[in-house]
Amino acid sequence: MKAIALVTVGLVGSIVPTATAAKIKINTSSKLQRIDGFGFSQAFGRASEFQAADPELRKKALDLLFDTKTGAGFSIIRNWIPSTTALSIEPNSPGLASNKPNYTWDGDDEGQVWFTKQAVSYGVKTIYADAWSAPGYMKTNGDEATPGYLCGTTGHTCSTGDWRQAFANYLVQYVKFYEQEGLDITHLGFLNEPDIEVGYSQMQISPNAQEAISFIPTLYETVKRAHLDLRLTCCDAVGWDSQANYTNHLMATGMQKYLDIISSHMYSDDATFPLKTNLPTWLTEAGVETSTAPFTTTWYDNGALNEGMTWASKLATGFVDAGLSAYLFWEGFEIGQNQSASHLVDVLGDEPEPSSVYYAFTMWSRFIRPGANRIAVSGALPNVIIAAFQNNDKSVIAIFTNSGSSSQLADIAIPAGKKPSAQVWLTDNDHRVSEINFKRRGSSIEVAIPPNSVITVKFSSRL
Ligand SMILES: *[C@@H]1O[C@H](CO)[C@@H](O)[C@H](O)[C@H]1NC(C)=O
Ligand SMILES: *[C@@H]1O[C@H](CO)[C@@H](O)[C@H](O)[C@H]1NC(C)=O
Ligand SMILES: *[C@@H]1O[C@H](CO)[C@@H](O)[C@H](O)[C@H]1NC(C)=O
Ligand SMILES: *[C@@H]1O[C@H](CO)[C@@H](O)[C@H](O)[C@H]1NC(C)=O
């Protein structure tokens, strides 16, 4: 009811008359990439931290992250498949690769079982489980936390044998343990940033991805034999440019028949161009590198990496220029970690508090639901990225990301064949996903887009 009333509100609001409005047309007959959703992780103990929080505060934080009406409506979570001995489902080496494994399950998985159940209770259906490494004894270096390769992959032989089948079995077993908990993992990955060397769980692949290419078919067959409905990802590279290279090698060797998603991070390079693949591409981890910038609620000051407006631009560029189907931030909830902007919600006083980055995501994730398609838009405004989407319920979402220092005026044609109600939300330095008024002009609406802001427009059919 509120939406219908707003349409007839007319001239109320702070619309400053400016030059003529640019005409924007959304083409609901066009169909660009599918959108799978938006998400984050609680890996590396953050799920346990979340679980252990005060129940009232915890509920508020969950609402902020997952509620589709009042929160960000995140629709994907990314869990890690631990390879550290204390947490692994196969802590002890069976000796030889061909020996029978001894799996173990604590039903907790560092709080990730609890966290996954919470996400599912809010309607999240996309559960991505990703291994940072195989257990150390399956690797050339015998250690899960130093650089090394999976034994048996191209170019890497080990005295204990070829561990490819054992690693595939181990990954499938992890998924089965979740099944026991009543949780369906939907996406499975086996790498995390294999293109850099770090001192925590990790596994390398070569620039030509030969190790991944010699493992993926085994993983695919193993998943199939287990009758699991799982989609496989590769390779969660540290940045878009190196994932672009991996993708070229994966496609040239026919891996598209086994894989479902090409996945990348953005630490070394942002997603700014489409990868050469017909598979959907996901940005599976994005963040502000630890200790380079503190947690902040400032939307826009100078374009620093921890500001919401910076992330608004990254999201718009990712979906429009790189053709992304999903965008995941690193962590969701942490407590008292304001030195770092690697998470979206913190507790600095008594209450969970979103960072400005959280609001950049919310302008997209609350409105564009899984299964939507991006659709074409015509018309342009200086310094504004325009993206449009159609949800499965036929509602149309248009997002205007104005990274310029002047206000712009858009005359947005109401999508054809509809008698829609329209609603408009604004995030800028003074607003956080605030519903605002606009002018209706016959078959279009006129919306002012302030400097350094995001405007989200929703057209939905009248009920
Ligand atoms: C809308 O998109 C469809 C499908 O791509 C295309 O055939 C049609 O010409 C487009 N309409 C306009 C007005 O651009
Ligand atoms: C399997 O591992 C568990 C510990 O995770 C251990 O208690 C048990 O003895 C092992 N069983 C075999 C047959 O090695
Ligand atoms: C991608 O491959 C090209 C060509 O081999 C190479 O020059 C470039 O350095 C690679 N980029 C990355 C980030 O690996
Ligand atoms: C983090 O919070 C503490 C306590 O509220 C405060 O003293 C400190 O200045 C904050 N640090 C940053 C980087 O915001």
Side-chain angles (χ1 to χ4, degrees):
M1 290 312 289
K2 196 174 170 215
I4 294 161
L6 272 170
V7 169
T8 56
V9 155
L11 286 161
V12 182
S14 57
I15 293 162
V16 183
T18 52
T20 45
K23 296 226 180 295
I24 307 298
K25 284 206 171 82
I26 300 166
N27 184 348
T28 52
S29 315
S30 64
K31 209 170 188 185
L32 304 172
Q33 79 265 26
R34 183 188 79 207
I35 304 300
D36 293 320
F38 300 82
F40 65 92
S41 180
Q42 292 289 136
F44 287 90
R46 271 74 158 214
S48 310
E49 180 187 9
F50 205 160
Q51 184 176 10
D54 167 73
E56 205 175 305
L57 183 151
R58 195 171 76 180
K59 171 72 164 66
K60 285 181 185 167
L62 287 168
D63 285 348
L64 278 170
L65 292 163
F66 291 121
D67 194 290
T68 56
K69 298 255 171 354
T70 60
F74 281 111
S75 50
I76 303 178
I77 60 168
R78 174 171 177 252
N79 291 339
W80 82 305
I81 303 175
S83 43
T84 49
T85 306
L87 299 167
S88 168
I89 61 162
E90 195 185 349
N92 301 310
S93 173
L96 299 176
S98 52
N99 287 350
K100 205 171 149 23
N102 178 9
Y103 297 123
T104 171
W105 180 239
D106 66 5
D108 174 55
D109 200 27
E110 238 196 344
Q112 292 183 124
V113 169
W114 171 84
F115 171 60
T116 305
K117 285 182 177 166
Q118 302 312 306
V120 167
S121 77
Y122 283 82
V124 171
K125 293 189 174 65
T126 305
I127 316 294
Y128 177 29
D130 189 23
W132 265 236
S133 176
Y137 53 81
M138 297 188 185
K139 290 169 64 189
T140 50
N141 56 319
D143 185 344
E144 63 91 36
T146 56
Y149 300 89
L150 179 63
C151 293
T153 54
T154 303
H156 310 286
T157 52
C158 300
S159 59
T160 50
D162 176 346
W163 289 86
R164 287 177 297 174
Q165 185 60 59
F167 185 40
N169 293 345
Y170 159 99
L171 294 171
V172 160
Q173 184 58 46
Y174 179 88
V175 175
K176 286 182 177 169
F177 283 137
Y178 268 74
E179 246 184 4
Q180 278 178 25
E181 304 293 338
L183 296 168
D184 293 327
I185 290 171
T186 55
H187 292 73
L188 179 64
F190 61 96
L191 291 169
N192 179 75
E193 302 178 1
D195 44 341
I196 55 163
E197 300 189 347
V198 293
Y200 49 84
S201 307
Q202 64 153 325
M203 196 160 69
Q204 308 302 122
I205 62 173
S206 302
N208 68 2
Q210 64 185 24
E211 295 81 4
I213 291 161
S214 78
F215 174 64
I216 290 166
T218 303
L219 181 58
Y220 175 88
E221 293 302 334
T222 308
V223 164
K224 217 168 119 186
R225 278 199 304 274
H227 304 292
L228 292 173
D229 183 19
L230 272 180
R231 281 155 284 281
L232 302 184
T233 71
C234 196
C235 315
D236 281 75
V238 74
W240 199 247
D241 288 359
S242 88
Q243 187 59 47
N245 283 0
Y246 287 154
T247 304
N248 293 342
H249 291 288
L250 293 169
M251 295 305 112
T253 52
M255 291 298 119
Q256 56 274 35
K257 66 174 177 282
Y258 307 113
L259 294 173
D260 298 279
I261 302 290
I262 295 295
S263 54
S264 180
H265 302 176
M266 48 59 73
Y267 296 105
S268 54
D269 320 273
D270 269 311
T272 56
F273 57 89
L275 299 183
K276 292 183 184 138
T277 175
N278 291 326
L279 298 177
T281 54
W282 287 12
L283 202 310
T284 45
E285 189 185 316
V288 181
E289 285 194 72
T290 318
S291 72
T292 54
F295 187 91
T296 184
T297 56
T298 302
W299 173 256
Y300 176 76
D301 179 21
N302 57 20
L305 196 51
N306 56 351
E307 293 175 7
M309 188 62 215
T310 302
W311 286 86
S313 294
K314 286 184 192 294
L315 284 159
T317 303
F319 283 98
V320 173
D321 294 345
L324 289 177
S325 289
Y327 206 118
L328 283 70
F329 200 69
W330 175 216
E331 303 279 353
F333 176 72
E334 294 188 34
I335 298 174
Q337 298 295 327
N338 67 342
Q339 79 287 350
S340 149
S342 62
H343 52 298
L344 299 167
V345 177
D346 204 330
V347 183
L348 302 174
D350 299 331
E351 296 286 321
E353 196 172 341
S355 69
S356 59
V357 179
Y358 164 92
Y359 290 105
F361 273 85
T362 302
M363 292 298 279
W364 294 71
S365 52
R366 187 191 293 174
F367 305 99
I368 306 162
R369 304 306 306 162
N373 277 95
R374 190 162 77 87
I375 54 181
V377 189
S378 61
L381 291 158
N383 302 311
V384 179
I385 302 176
I386 309 173
F389 303 85
Q390 184 151 36
N391 283 313
N392 283 338
D393 69 1
K394 298 295 171 203
S395 59
V396 170
I397 308 297
I399 298 182
F400 297 79
T401 305
N402 184 2
S403 57
S405 54
S406 45
S407 186
Q408 303 294 337
L409 200 55
D411 178 86
I412 310 160
I414 295 170
K418 297 252 158 21
K419 281 195 214 142
S421 65
Q423 286 171 278
V424 180
W425 291 265
L426 166 66
T427 294
D428 66 2
N429 271 342
D430 304 318
H431 301 83
R432 296 289 184 270
V433 200
S434 308
E435 195 165 355
I436 57 161
N437 295 322
F438 55 89
K439 286 189 204 170
R440 184 161 184 147
R441 302 188 174 282
S443 60
S444 67
I445 66 168
E446 192 175 282
V447 181
I449 306 162
N452 295 302
S453 79
V454 179
I455 287 277
T456 298
V457 179
K458 178 174 184 174
F459 296 105
S460 46
S461 294
R462 236 181 244 207
L463 293 173

